[in-house]
Amino acid sequence: MTAPRTPQLPSRLPHVGTTIFSVMSALAAECGAVNLGQGFPDFDCDPALLDRVNDAMREGLNQYPPMAGVPALRQAVAAKIAALYGRAYDPEREITVTAGATQAILTAVLACVHPGDEVVVLEPCYDSYAPNIELAGGTVVRVPLTPGTFRPDFARIAAAIGPRTRAIIVNTPHNPAAVVWTRAEMLRLAEILAPTEVLLIADEVYEHMVFDGAEHVSASAIPELAARAFVVSSFGKTFHVTGWKVGTVAAPAALTAEFRKVHQFNVFTVNTPMQHALARYLADPAPYLGLAAFYQRKRDLFRAGLAASRLKLLPCEGSYFQSVDYSAVSDLSEAEFCRWLTREVGVAAIPISAFYDGGFEQRIARLCFAKRDDTLERALERLARL
């Protein structure tokens, strides 16, 4: 009798393995290291938010919500965007609730990218962008942010846009470089895109983590960009509940109609009680308006402690990441250094090279400071030995 055989499956993503975040988190657990690699808080959310989830579940709000999201949540998101950025989105036709920002970005790509289309990404960039484009049959066009400063190089961006360009993905505040695009930079992007049919996918998941009095300039705040943009945000990042996987996309009605065609068949709907809880919680703007001060204090604590080491601090304008130049400490490659740091020093970090296609070595590692103060102090104690 012939033994059972699993058929061969040609890979849709032959060059993709396990993400660096999973690899480093597993290594941190194995070594008992302080995990400053993967970007998630090690503290709880506001208990009041959990109470609202419990209330929603006990009220029987546990069945499928509308495909686009609970109306009350879409209305709350539209009101928040209008108050912060001055753009009036129709909650019925222009706001969609998603299963986190990663699903939102994939859905936007699948909705607008056809085989043979090109999509511009700015490296270093989050590791889901390129596989998303490849799954849609598109071609990834990589444009580097300026080495050293990680600011946009508009001459190179303009040169990368051609007749086959369908979209560009822009991330601000930026992961991993913690750069926040200025209003002048967003207006320059609008100027470049104005004569084209290029769409914008604006990854703004760290929108409420901008420091030192600077502002987050959302694509929704620039009319010329808002008219062509899918603007992505994340409740997981904002309210310390990354495991809930709830995000939103705001886009003009014509773009949203295409987005929802894909959304209904790759996720259909998102967790019902969480949506009702978030809608009620958003009635008070204080938690998200206070987020910048909350994380700036952690950033300042972390940066002050790192000053005692030989790691060179790069600017941190937003997000909850701090990048460091370790050239004074080691000649190892970024991946090797992060593995060594995890095993020998007891602190896990992420190599910036992982955010580039094929790697680009600058001797820079990314650390996450979305941690309890005692976690940061423990990590700083160990890093001070460097």
Side-chain angles (χ1 to χ4, degrees):
M1 187 173 179
T2 307
R5 180 179 65 86
T6 300
Q8 289 189 350
L9 175 63
S11 177
R12 293 291 306 277
L13 295 169
H15 308 297
V16 172
T18 305
T19 71
I20 188 66
F21 311 108
S22 297
V23 169
M24 294 310 299
S25 286
L27 184 61
E30 178 190 320
C31 300
V34 180
N35 188 359
L36 302 188
Q38 198 165 358
F40 62 86
D42 70 345
F43 46 84
D44 290 330
C45 68
D46 183 351
L49 180 54
L50 301 181
D51 290 341
R52 284 163 174 76
V53 176
N54 288 332
D55 291 344
M57 288 191 291
R58 292 186 183 283
E59 288 167 25
L61 299 170
N62 299 300
Q63 307 309 323
Y64 292 131
M67 177 268 288
V70 168
L73 180 55
R74 285 184 277 135
Q75 289 159 11
V77 169
K80 172 173 166 283
I81 294 172
L84 292 177
Y85 309 125
R87 174 79 178 186
Y89 286 97
D90 176 356
E92 183 61 32
R93 299 186 305 136
E94 298 185 318
I95 304 285
T96 307
V97 181
T98 62
T102 301
Q103 182 250 317
I105 293 166
L106 172 62
T107 301
V109 169
L110 291 175
C112 66
V113 176
H114 296 248
D117 286 347
E118 294 179 348
V119 180
V120 175
V121 301
L122 308 179
E123 289 190 317
C125 63
Y126 188 63
D127 66 347
S128 79
Y129 297 170
N132 290 178
I133 296 160
E134 291 167 4
L135 286 170
T139 300
V140 183
V141 176
R142 303 171 190 276
V143 175
L145 295 166
T146 307
T149 67
F150 299 103
R151 302 224 72 88
D153 182 334
F154 288 108
R156 297 187 74 161
I157 292 171
I161 292 173
R164 294 172 60 195
T165 308
R166 177 68 64 185
I168 179 171
I169 303 179
V170 168
N171 172 214
T172 178
H174 189 264
N175 173 21
V179 165
V180 176
W181 283 33
T182 64
R183 181 168 293 275
E185 287 168 335
M186 294 296 282
L187 289 171
R188 179 70 182 113
L189 177 66
E191 185 183 334
I192 289 170
L193 298 183
T196 76
E197 294 298 307
V198 175
L199 298 165
L200 169 63
I201 299 171
D203 179 353
E204 302 185 5
V205 299
Y206 300 102
E207 62 176 315
H208 299 300
M209 302 169 207
V210 177
F211 309 134
D212 303 316
E215 65 170 339
H216 166 62
V217 184
S218 173
S220 61
I222 309 292
E224 298 83 356
L225 292 178
R228 64 176 71 230
F230 298 92
V231 183
V232 178
S233 190
S234 163
F235 292 116
K237 301 292 193 300
T238 301
F239 294 137
H240 321 308
V241 286
T242 59
W244 286 15
K245 299 298 293 177
V246 183
T248 58
V249 172
L255 299 184
T256 295
E258 294 304 313
F259 180 92
R260 288 179 181 176
K261 287 179 185 179
V262 178
H263 173 79
Q264 69 182 334
F265 293 118
N266 72 0
V267 71
F268 182 53
T269 59
V270 177
N271 189 299
T272 302
M274 267 66 171
Q275 289 194 59
H276 284 282
L278 288 163
R280 296 168 186 179
Y281 193 68
L282 282 171
D284 178 8
Y288 61 82
L289 293 180
L291 199 63
F294 173 82
Y295 274 121
Q296 183 168 331
R297 189 193 66 77
K298 287 188 176 292
R299 181 204 66 169
D300 293 348
L301 168 72
F302 194 49
R303 286 174 68 88
L306 286 172
S309 74
R310 289 186 295 153
L311 299 170
K312 178 186 172 185
L313 293 166
L314 275 64
C316 174
E317 300 171 348
S319 82
Y320 48 48
F321 300 114
Q322 174 65 60
S323 290
V324 293
D325 180 328
Y326 64 82
S327 2
V329 175
S330 173
D331 292 328
L332 292 171
S333 72
E334 290 178 9
E336 289 169 340
F337 174 77
C338 288
R339 283 193 289 269
W340 173 83
L341 192 71
T342 305
R343 289 193 179 103
E344 304 302 326
V345 181
V347 178
I350 298 291
I352 294 290
S353 58
F355 296 84
Y356 289 89
D357 179 46
F360 173 50
E361 294 293 333
Q362 301 169 83
R363 293 190 194 163
I364 297 175
R366 189 199 78 175
L367 299 162
C368 174
F369 56 81
K371 307 295 176 184
R372 299 190 310 267
D373 287 3
D374 64 306
T375 303
L376 295 176
E377 296 285 6
R378 193 152 40 95
L380 288 168
E381 229 175 78
R382 299 176 184 192
L383 291 169
R385 303 171 200 156
L386 295 175

